[in-house]
Structure formats: structure tokens, C-alpha cells
Amino acid sequence: MKIKRLTENSLVARMLSWLAHAVIRRPAWFLYPQLALFIVSVLVTVKYPGIQFDTRRDDLVGANKKYHQNFLRFKKEFPTQDDLVVVVESENTEKNRQFVERLGAKMEAEPGLFHDVLYKGDLKMLGSKALLFVPDPELGELQATLRDYLPFIEQFTRATNLDSLFGMVNTQFRTAKQEENQQNQSLVKALPALERIVTQATESLQRPGIPPSPGITALFNAGADAQDQTYITFGNGRLYLITAQAPEEDLNDAAVERLRELIDETRSEVPGLNAGLTGEPVLEHDEMQQSKSDTTVASIVSLLVCALIFIYGYQQTGRPIKATLCLIVGLGYTLAFATLCPGLGHLNILTITFVPILIGLAIDYGVHLISRYEEELRHGRSPEDALVKAMVFTGQGILTGGLTTAGAFLAMFFTDFKGIQEMGLICGGGLLICLVPMMTMLPALLLRGHQNVLDHERGLVAERRARIENIWLKRPRLVIGLACALCLLAVTQLHRVYFDYDLLHLQSAGLPAVELIEDKLLSATNATTKSVLYGAVIATNLEEAVDLERQITNLPAVAGVESVTRFLTEEQTHKLAVVGDIKKLLAPISFAEKDPNPVNIPELSRTLYSLYGYLGAAHDEVQKDEPALAAQLLDLRQAIGDLRKAMLEINPGVVQTNSLKLAAFQRALFDDVHETFQALQTQDNSAPLRVADLPGPIRDRFVGVTGKYLLMVYPRRDVWQRDNQKEFIDQVQNVYPNVTGTPVQLYYYTELLKASYEQAAKYSLAAIVLLVFFHFRSPLCVGLALVPVGVGFLWLGGLMGALGVPLNPANIMTLPLVIGIGVTNGIHILNRFAEEQTASLLARSTGKAVLVSGLTAIAGFGSLILGQHRGIRSLGYVMAAGLATCMIAGLTILPAILNLMIRRGALGRQTQATHGETQGRRATLRRGSGATDVRISGVAAEQ
């Protein structure tokens, strides 16, 4: 079978010849307009209209998939945004409470960024039907507690400030009789609440910021159980949560940034705990920010390293810098294309990596063109003739190689994954766009400057490359045998390569949002057998919701179901009666007007000093008979002493500040108590709970815009893990086939991503086969061009298996890319072989260009290794290794195969026919290099 000789008479060659002559005649036409277009492209990308960054992972998936259609219907019915989750951790539950109270108040003060802020379920938040949410036993306990505390509450109603409150306590101590009565019992039960008020008053002096109220639990129950019931907690109170949502999707990024500022501000007020932010919008925001940072660094490093490789490889700066400038122009064009192309206009987590990728790939055009141009100059040609020769012959290889690589990317457009389609369109289109300045602007620049004074190649360097190449060219059978042995060794490791579906493993190591999920929430929720992610089940009516909840709750993979169906369907006649009794009990209560003035420190100190004495006397009285009560009295006495010490500063300025701080605490306490009792007095017991009675944050969450009901189904195990995802989804789908939500999205998202890249690899291979066949018109050339790819791919798989490197949703992009990029090595080698019919290439410009372009491509992808995003870094590792194996295979195995085929006569007649031309070429090389006889034809001499 023959390899058709490459000539200058083909249609493509004639077009390239015409282009070369046009550049020679009118270089300015190809230079200045492109510089102007580059400036316009930059303006379009940066400002007019400016490229956007899409952080949502859901937008990477096309709407044609059933599971995604379910998700879109869910988001349409429940249009609230995904939760921003603040996680607060310490062993001190009071610190946790202080933090979420302070931060929650700040978030509620900024409704433009934070919507449906949830951190506690108190009476004020739950509204006029709040008591109907309370279970029957707890509602009865509340009624009994209010009755027991009524004497103390009545005294509280007459207090206008802290001084009058503790003054009334003093009066009760002073007038108390040594007998069992309701007043004394009420006072004794109030001791923990009084201690809590005093302790938090002291803390308000020690912390900056606006202090929160101790809360209604300070009056009734100061224990941890009350806080666990009031606040959103995990891990027995070790973790406190605040959830909120941005009002609309476009505000997610701004909300994340602002919330982090508020967390830092609150952390300075309540130190000594861990606080961080997580949630899907946060993960997406952080992932995009880290990716932008990583790709910016990678782009700069890639550009510099590629330029340095180019400069070092050619021992000059002028032409490599010209090629780099043309590359930058091409990148500018590509950015404008991505900005203006219909359906694009943005970059996502996949496409954001396109700049370093294009740097490593598109620079190859310049490498090959300059290599051939310099070679022709050293053969004695004029700059114009050298340019025509380079563009006509090497240009055909550049064009075919560019089309095959672009085809590998553009094949992604035919997959079912929207994000991969966009990646293919931007990178494939970018490679074609970069061809324009490289094949027009670069030739115009090459004709300028002093470098076209004939450069004499260093003969010893070329001779050394020839001697190295002869090692495998003289021993083709040995080289092929060793390659086959390595391939067999690689095959033994392929079974160890697996696919890691866990998206958390792609995030940056140490990223706070990821650590909060992996180290805090998962460990805490595993302890309570409940995840923080949920599946969404939508019921059209209450009856269906009740039935679905009953079936799903009993599934082994389900930890629990949250919904409002229980509250809307339960029998509430008894509750309504109890609520009526509570309203009657509290109806006479009316609070005095609050004191708006700063706290009078001396007066409050005297009042507390009196109470300090009463407590000491009471302690002495009861310590023998009632040691538990004596301990409570002593604790309150100690707290009062600490408060007096904290507020009685010698510095007048500090006293004034303390007065204002205590006034703020006093205001928060009295406002909270007054509003809570007002909420109790105005509870609506006229009818059972209805949808319209649900508080806004709960109604928005659980009742859709058309009245459908949401069941939040929580998996029992960590659903970031693939097996747990499958178990959970399979079981819920048996009950409700259209289940959606984050676990479902994660499962099908990664599955579709993997399948789409596998599909893209097949399309890429098909496109490459057609393009290579169209260029060479030979099935043999198609097979030979794919040799570096096949061998390189096999070696790459063996390396990944041996080193335990898995495929993942980021580096699986390697499948189509290595095929498209690796085949260019074979194309350029075969292109030069078709021109000169010799397997000796390394000492020629083609071999050198393949080596340099391979190194620049490795540098382009290898620069991604510098990133902190583990997905991007893994893509850099795998792609750099894959390109290296393909380059090695292309420079060693393919020439060895070609040489073996020549020896065996498979290409004999054409080789013999061109033998004289090869000898003439050798003579020309000798003349062009002065006195140095460059021995690049050792193999040909043997023939």
C-alpha cells in the first residue's frame, strides 16, 4: 500500500500558496486590521457587553433529560433559591446561640440580599397560629409552666428597666415568708432565668456589637433542651445553623460575599468558636472563584512557559515572541467569540479552563510554521520563497492538524451535556479562530526584522539529534517490540482505573465550604442518622402528600421526611381548646412602658448589691435543708458580683459606654419578652391550621406557587457517595418515580457527564478518521496517524492504574482531547514523510517542531497542576501525562514503523523513486549549512 506524495498542486496547496503570496505583497493588510480587531475583541469581552460567569452546576445540563425536566418543574413550582447555610460550632451552646442571634439579626436587616432567614422557631416567627405547631404534650407543659410562673410574670410586667426588675425581686425576697406559697415557688423557679439574664448582661459588656435578648427560654427554661427545640441544631447542640436564600439567582454571588463579611464581623463579637458558610450556592460560587483564580494563574504560567520552551528550542527570541503575540491575538478573538456567540455569552466551570488549553495547543501552529520557515532559510531560500514553501507544505499539516484537534472539541457539541457542548464549541471554535492570525499575521511578522539574515543552524546540535534518532530507526523491530511489551504491561494495570463520582473530591482541599460538609455536617448528621441534602417529592394535594409521606418514611434508605402535611391534616380540636385557655390565662397581663434611657449604673449597682445581700442570707438559711436551692442562690450571687465588677469601671468613659451597652441589652430583653407575650395573647384559636396561616419562610419552602406540597426526603447515609445515591434514589423512585432534588441531580449529572465524554471520544475519533483520510486519501495513513494516539492512550491508562489515579468528572475530558491532540503528531510526521519519503525526521524541522509543540501542549495543560481546585489539577496531571505518552510514541514508534515498512518494501517503489531527490536534498543541506556536513541520512544510506 502506498502513501501518496505530498505536492503543491492540490487545491489546499494552491489556496495556501495564494495566501502566502498575498501576505508577501500586502503584509500591512494582514497586520494592522487584526491589531484593531484584537482591541475591539478585548473591549467586547471586558465591557461591551462583557462575558459572564455562570456558577450553577444545574445549567450545565440540557433540558431534554427527564430527570432535569423534573428538576426544572420543581424549581418552577418552588422558585426559592438554594439555601445558604451558616454553620456555627463550639462546645459552648450559649456562644453558639449568641452568634446565630447576632448574625441572624444582621441578615434580617438586609432583605435585599437575604430572604427567608431561619435560625429559630420562636412564637414571633411562627405567627398567629404558632401554638398549633407545638405537639400536644409540650403544649400542655407550656400551659402549666405559664400558670406556675404567673406571679413572677406579673411582677415583670411592672418593670420598666433592669433596675426596677431587680428592685421587685429584692422586694419579693424582703417580704417573703418562710412558708410554701405560690409567690415563693414562682421566685425559686425564676432563679435560673435571673442568673441567665445577669450572666448575659455581663457578656454584653464584654462583647462588641448589639447584644441579643436571652430569649423567652430565660424566663421559663434555661436548659439546653429548650434551645435545641428553639434553634436549628445538630450534634446535641454542638452545631447551630442559620439558613437563608438570596431573593433571586443573580444575587447568589453577592449574598455569599456579603454573608462572609457579616460572619467575620460577628466572629469578632463572639470569639472562641468556628463559624463558616456552606450550601450549594456557596460551593458553586467558591468553585467558580477558585477556578477563575486557578485558570488565571495557569494561563499566565502557560503563556510564559510555552514562550520559554519556544525560545530555548530555537535559541532566539524574535520569532517565538512574534508567534506568542499572534497567539494572544487569537485568544482575544476567541474570548469575543465566546461573548457574542448565540447561546454562549458566559463561561462555566468547564469552559473557564479554555485559555490555558488554547495556549498550549494553538502555539503549535506557530511552532511548525516557524520551524519549516527557518529550515528553508538555511537551505538558501529567500525569505519570500521560504515562507511560500513553509505555508504550502507544512501549512497543509498545520491545517489538517488544526482541523483534527478542533474536530475533537467540536465533536463534544453533539453530546447530550450542555456544559460539554459549550466546552467543545468554545475550544473547537477557538482553535479554528487562532489559525487565522497564525496563518496570516505571523507570516507578515516573519518577513519583518533582521532575523531573516541567514541563520546557520548549529550542525553539532542537528547531528546529535540525528544520532539519537538513529537509535530507534536502526532498530525498528526492537523499538516496536519494546513498545508492545510496554503496552502489555499497561493492559495489566487498566483494571485498576476507576471512575470517582464524588464531586466533593473535585473541590479545593481545605476549602471551608467543603470542610464544613465533610468534617462538620456529615459527621454530626451521621451521628443523628440524617443527611443535610434532601430529595424532593411533590404531591398535588394533602391526601396524596400524606400517603407518600407514610410510604417513604418507612424506606430503609430514608432518615426522615419533612413537610407541613402533619400540621395541616391533624385533629386540632384539643389544641385549639388549650390555646384558648392560655389566652384567658394571659389576658390580664399588660406591660409597663419600657425605659428608653441609658442605664443608670450607680442605681443599678446599688439594687444589685442589695440583691447580693438577700441572696447570701437566703443561702445561709436553706443550705442545710435544700442544698440544690442553696447552689442556685450561690450561682446567682456570683453572677451578680461579676456584673457589678464589670460595669463599675473607674474610667468615666468606660462607665458611659457600659451604660449604653446595658441599655441595648435591656431594650433587647424587654422587647423580646413583650413581643413574645403579645404573640401568646393574640394566638388565633378560631380554626385549625390552614395553608394561609403558615409563616412566610415555611410556606415558601413547602407549598408551591400552584398549591402543591413539597416533601423533603432526607437520606440516611452520605449521598455524596455513589452507592448511597443509587440506593436512596432507587428506593424513593419505587414509590415516587419523579423524585428530584440534589441527590438525584448529583447522580444523573455525573452519569451524563461521563457518558457524554465517552460519546464525545467516539465522535472525535470518527471525525478525525474522516479528516485524516480526506487529507492523505489513504486508509494506511489513517491507521498510522492513530498509532501515537492508541499507544499513548494505552500507556496513560497503565500509568493511571499503577499510580492509583482515578478518572473523575473533570479529567475524563482527557478521552476526546488526547485523541484529537495526539493524532496531530502522526499527521505532521506523515505529512513530512509524504513530502520526502524518509523516516528520519528528528533532525529536520518537523521532528523538532513535533517535540517543541508537544512540550508546549504539555506545558499548557500542565500549568493546570498549579491550581488548588482538585478537579482542574487532576485534568492537568492526566492531560500532561497523556500528551507526553502520545508525543513519545509519535517520535519513536511511528518513525520506526515507517522505516520497517520501507525496509520490507511496503513503500518500496515510491521510496526508490525519490531516493535521488533525498540525496539532492542532502547536498542542499550541506551547502546551506556552510562547511558542516549534517549527517541526517544514516538510515537512508543503509537502504
Tab-separated table of all heavy atoms in Angstrom, residues 376-408:
chain	number	residue	atom	x	y	z
A	376	GLU	N	13.934	26.272	5.610
A	376	GLU	CA	14.056	26.693	4.218
A	376	GLU	C	15.025	27.848	4.070
A	376	GLU	O	15.756	27.944	3.066
A	376	GLU	CB	12.672	27.071	3.660
A	376	GLU	CG	11.674	25.921	3.636
A	376	GLU	CD	12.182	24.725	2.842
A	376	GLU	OE1	12.916	24.929	1.861
A	376	GLU	OE2	11.845	23.584	3.206
A	377	LEU	N	15.074	28.739	5.045
A	377	LEU	CA	16.059	29.818	5.005
A	377	LEU	C	17.474	29.251	5.018
A	377	LEU	O	18.362	29.716	4.288
A	377	LEU	CB	15.876	30.763	6.205
A	377	LEU	CG	14.710	31.756	6.159
A	377	LEU	CD1	14.661	32.546	7.461
A	377	LEU	CD2	14.843	32.714	4.972
A	378	ARG	N	17.695	28.223	5.812
A	378	ARG	CA	19.040	27.649	5.916
A	378	ARG	C	19.391	26.804	4.688
A	378	ARG	O	20.545	26.422	4.522
A	378	ARG	CB	19.128	26.826	7.192
A	378	ARG	CG	19.030	27.692	8.439
A	378	ARG	CD	19.334	26.931	9.707
A	378	ARG	NE	19.256	27.832	10.840
A	378	ARG	CZ	18.235	27.922	11.682
A	378	ARG	NH1	17.200	27.129	11.521
A	378	ARG	NH2	18.249	28.783	12.673
A	379	HIS	N	18.395	26.523	3.874
A	379	HIS	CA	18.665	25.857	2.604
A	379	HIS	C	19.030	26.852	1.519
A	379	HIS	O	19.240	26.467	0.375
A	379	HIS	CB	17.450	25.041	2.154
A	379	HIS	CG	17.182	23.860	3.035
A	379	HIS	ND1	15.975	23.192	3.037
A	379	HIS	CD2	17.961	23.232	3.947
A	379	HIS	CE1	16.028	22.204	3.919
A	379	HIS	NE2	17.225	22.215	4.473
A	380	GLY	N	19.077	28.130	1.892
A	380	GLY	CA	19.496	29.147	0.950
A	380	GLY	C	18.362	29.878	0.274
A	380	GLY	O	18.599	30.713	-0.611
A	381	ARG	N	17.116	29.604	0.638
A	381	ARG	CA	15.995	30.286	0.009
A	381	ARG	C	15.875	31.715	0.539
A	381	ARG	O	16.289	32.022	1.656
A	381	ARG	CB	14.696	29.537	0.262
A	381	ARG	CG	14.638	28.145	-0.343
A	381	ARG	CD	13.288	27.511	-0.089
A	381	ARG	NE	13.238	26.126	-0.569
A	381	ARG	CZ	12.932	25.775	-1.810
A	381	ARG	NH1	12.648	26.720	-2.704
A	381	ARG	NH2	12.908	24.502	-2.166
A	382	SER	N	15.274	32.559	-0.283
A	382	SER	CA	14.978	33.917	0.157
A	382	SER	C	13.843	33.865	1.174
A	382	SER	O	13.100	32.874	1.227
A	382	SER	CB	14.553	34.777	-1.030
A	382	SER	OG	13.299	34.324	-1.537
A	383	PRO	N	13.676	34.918	2.002
A	383	PRO	CA	12.580	34.906	2.981
A	383	PRO	C	11.219	34.666	2.330
A	383	PRO	O	10.393	33.938	2.884
A	383	PRO	CB	12.664	36.289	3.622
A	383	PRO	CG	14.098	36.667	3.491
A	383	PRO	CD	14.548	36.094	2.171
A	384	GLU	N	10.969	35.275	1.149
A	384	GLU	CA	9.676	35.110	0.491
A	384	GLU	C	9.482	33.666	0.041
A	384	GLU	O	8.417	33.068	0.242
A	384	GLU	CB	9.563	36.074	-0.696
A	384	GLU	CG	9.461	37.547	-0.320
A	384	GLU	CD	10.808	38.145	0.091
A	384	GLU	OE1	11.857	37.471	-0.133
A	384	GLU	OE2	10.812	39.256	0.641
A	385	ASP	N	10.515	33.085	-0.617
A	385	ASP	CA	10.392	31.703	-1.069
A	385	ASP	C	10.274	30.739	0.109
A	385	ASP	O	9.535	29.747	0.036
A	385	ASP	CB	11.613	31.329	-1.925
A	385	ASP	CG	11.615	32.048	-3.263
A	385	ASP	OD1	10.559	32.557	-3.652
A	385	ASP	OD2	12.691	32.106	-3.907
A	386	ALA	N	11.030	31.027	1.176
A	386	ALA	CA	10.956	30.170	2.361
A	386	ALA	C	9.567	30.194	2.963
A	386	ALA	O	9.022	29.171	3.396
A	386	ALA	CB	11.985	30.615	3.392
A	387	LEU	N	8.946	31.375	2.967
A	387	LEU	CA	7.601	31.492	3.520
A	387	LEU	C	6.596	30.723	2.673
A	387	LEU	O	5.726	30.014	3.210
A	387	LEU	CB	7.195	32.965	3.611
A	387	LEU	CG	5.833	33.238	4.250
A	387	LEU	CD1	5.820	32.778	5.695
A	387	LEU	CD2	5.479	34.719	4.163
A	388	VAL	N	6.698	30.839	1.356
A	388	VAL	CA	5.783	30.108	0.481
A	388	VAL	C	5.947	28.609	0.683
A	388	VAL	O	4.966	27.863	0.802
A	388	VAL	CB	6.037	30.494	-0.992
A	388	VAL	CG1	5.213	29.597	-1.923
A	388	VAL	CG2	5.696	31.960	-1.228
A	389	LYS	N	7.195	28.132	0.719
A	389	LYS	CA	7.459	26.713	0.905
A	389	LYS	C	6.875	26.217	2.237
A	389	LYS	O	6.232	25.167	2.304
A	389	LYS	CB	8.967	26.473	0.881
A	389	LYS	CG	9.379	25.009	0.950
A	389	LYS	CD	9.210	24.311	-0.358
A	389	LYS	CE	9.826	22.927	-0.333
A	389	LYS	NZ	9.658	22.195	-1.598
A	390	ALA	N	7.093	26.991	3.290
A	390	ALA	CA	6.601	26.593	4.617
A	390	ALA	C	5.077	26.563	4.649
A	390	ALA	O	4.469	25.627	5.175
A	390	ALA	CB	7.143	27.529	5.684
A	391	MET	N	4.442	27.591	4.082
A	391	MET	CA	2.979	27.664	4.158
A	391	MET	C	2.330	26.616	3.271
A	391	MET	O	1.270	26.081	3.612
A	391	MET	CB	2.502	29.068	3.781
A	391	MET	CG	2.814	30.114	4.833
A	391	MET	SD	2.038	31.704	4.525
A	391	MET	CE	0.321	31.320	4.729
A	392	VAL	N	2.931	26.299	2.114
A	392	VAL	CA	2.320	25.341	1.209
A	392	VAL	C	2.443	23.920	1.739
A	392	VAL	O	1.469	23.163	1.766
A	392	VAL	CB	2.943	25.450	-0.195
A	392	VAL	CG1	2.509	24.279	-1.082
A	392	VAL	CG2	2.560	26.773	-0.837
A	393	PHE	N	3.642	23.528	2.175
A	393	PHE	CA	3.846	22.141	2.583
A	393	PHE	C	3.529	21.927	4.069
A	393	PHE	O	2.661	21.132	4.411
A	393	PHE	CB	5.285	21.719	2.256
A	393	PHE	CG	5.497	21.485	0.791
A	393	PHE	CD1	5.961	22.501	-0.027
A	393	PHE	CD2	5.206	20.264	0.219
A	393	PHE	CE1	6.141	22.292	-1.387
A	393	PHE	CE2	5.383	20.050	-1.135
A	393	PHE	CZ	5.850	21.076	-1.948
A	394	THR	N	4.221	22.639	4.949
A	394	THR	CA	3.912	22.485	6.371
A	394	THR	C	2.534	23.037	6.698
A	394	THR	O	1.850	22.547	7.597
A	394	THR	CB	4.984	23.185	7.226
A	394	THR	OG1	6.256	22.623	6.928
A	394	THR	CG2	4.693	23.031	8.710
A	395	GLY	N	2.111	24.045	5.932
A	395	GLY	CA	0.779	24.612	6.159
A	395	GLY	C	-0.323	23.595	5.997
A	395	GLY	O	-1.346	23.651	6.695
A	396	GLN	N	-0.142	22.640	5.072
A	396	GLN	CA	-1.152	21.596	4.909
A	396	GLN	C	-1.263	20.738	6.171
A	396	GLN	O	-2.356	20.376	6.603
A	396	GLN	CB	-0.804	20.719	3.696
A	396	GLN	CG	-0.904	21.452	2.362
A	396	GLN	CD	-0.624	20.529	1.196
A	396	GLN	OE1	-1.323	19.521	1.014
A	396	GLN	NE2	0.391	20.855	0.400
A	397	GLY	N	-0.104	20.421	6.755
A	397	GLY	CA	-0.126	19.667	8.019
A	397	GLY	C	-0.716	20.473	9.147
A	397	GLY	O	-1.468	19.948	9.982
A	398	ILE	N	-0.381	21.775	9.185
A	398	ILE	CA	-0.938	22.641	10.227
A	398	ILE	C	-2.454	22.698	10.101
A	398	ILE	O	-3.190	22.603	11.094
A	398	ILE	CB	-0.333	24.058	10.125
A	398	ILE	CG1	1.153	24.038	10.504
A	398	ILE	CG2	-1.093	25.034	11.014
A	398	ILE	CD1	1.867	25.347	10.253
A	399	LEU	N	-2.917	22.865	8.859
A	399	LEU	CA	-4.358	22.960	8.628
A	399	LEU	C	-5.061	21.662	9.021
A	399	LEU	O	-6.067	21.680	9.737
A	399	LEU	CB	-4.610	23.286	7.158
A	399	LEU	CG	-6.044	23.662	6.788
A	399	LEU	CD1	-6.478	24.903	7.548
A	399	LEU	CD2	-6.150	23.890	5.288
A	400	THR	N	-4.526	20.532	8.591
A	400	THR	CA	-5.147	19.254	8.933
A	400	THR	C	-5.071	18.986	10.431
A	400	THR	O	-6.048	18.531	11.047
A	400	THR	CB	-4.476	18.112	8.162
A	400	THR	OG1	-4.547	18.381	6.767
A	400	THR	CG2	-5.158	16.786	8.450
A	401	GLY	N	-3.899	19.255	11.028
A	401	GLY	CA	-3.759	19.057	12.474
A	401	GLY	C	-4.697	19.954	13.259
A	401	GLY	O	-5.321	19.521	14.235
A	402	GLY	N	-4.814	21.219	12.810
A	402	GLY	CA	-5.742	22.126	13.486
A	402	GLY	C	-7.179	21.676	13.358
A	402	GLY	O	-7.958	21.734	14.320
A	403	LEU	N	-7.544	21.198	12.170
A	403	LEU	CA	-8.912	20.729	11.965
A	403	LEU	C	-9.213	19.476	12.780
A	403	LEU	O	-10.315	19.323	13.316
A	403	LEU	CB	-9.142	20.452	10.478
A	403	LEU	CG	-9.229	21.687	9.570
A	403	LEU	CD1	-9.308	21.266	8.114
A	403	LEU	CD2	-10.424	22.556	9.940
A	404	THR	N	-8.245	18.577	12.897
A	404	THR	CA	-8.494	17.362	13.677
A	404	THR	C	-8.627	17.680	15.155
A	404	THR	O	-9.512	17.139	15.835
A	404	THR	CB	-7.366	16.345	13.473
A	404	THR	OG1	-6.095	16.949	13.755
A	404	THR	CG2	-7.342	15.828	12.053
A	405	THR	N	-7.757	18.545	15.659
A	405	THR	CA	-7.866	18.915	17.076
A	405	THR	C	-9.154	19.674	17.332
A	405	THR	O	-9.863	19.421	18.318
A	405	THR	CB	-6.663	19.759	17.511
A	405	THR	OG1	-5.456	19.076	17.180
A	405	THR	CG2	-6.695	20.011	19.012
A	406	ALA	N	-9.470	20.622	16.450
A	406	ALA	CA	-10.735	21.346	16.584
A	406	ALA	C	-11.910	20.387	16.452
A	406	ALA	O	-12.918	20.512	17.168
A	406	ALA	CB	-10.825	22.446	15.540
A	407	GLY	N	-11.776	19.407	15.546
A	407	GLY	CA	-12.841	18.426	15.387
A	407	GLY	C	-13.071	17.614	16.639
A	407	GLY	O	-14.209	17.242	16.961
A	408	ALA	N	-11.972	17.317	17.370
A	408	ALA	CA	-12.110	16.572	18.623
A	408	ALA	C	-12.951	17.357	19.618
A	408	ALA	O	-13.775	16.791	20.349
A	408	ALA	CB	-10.732	16.278	19.205
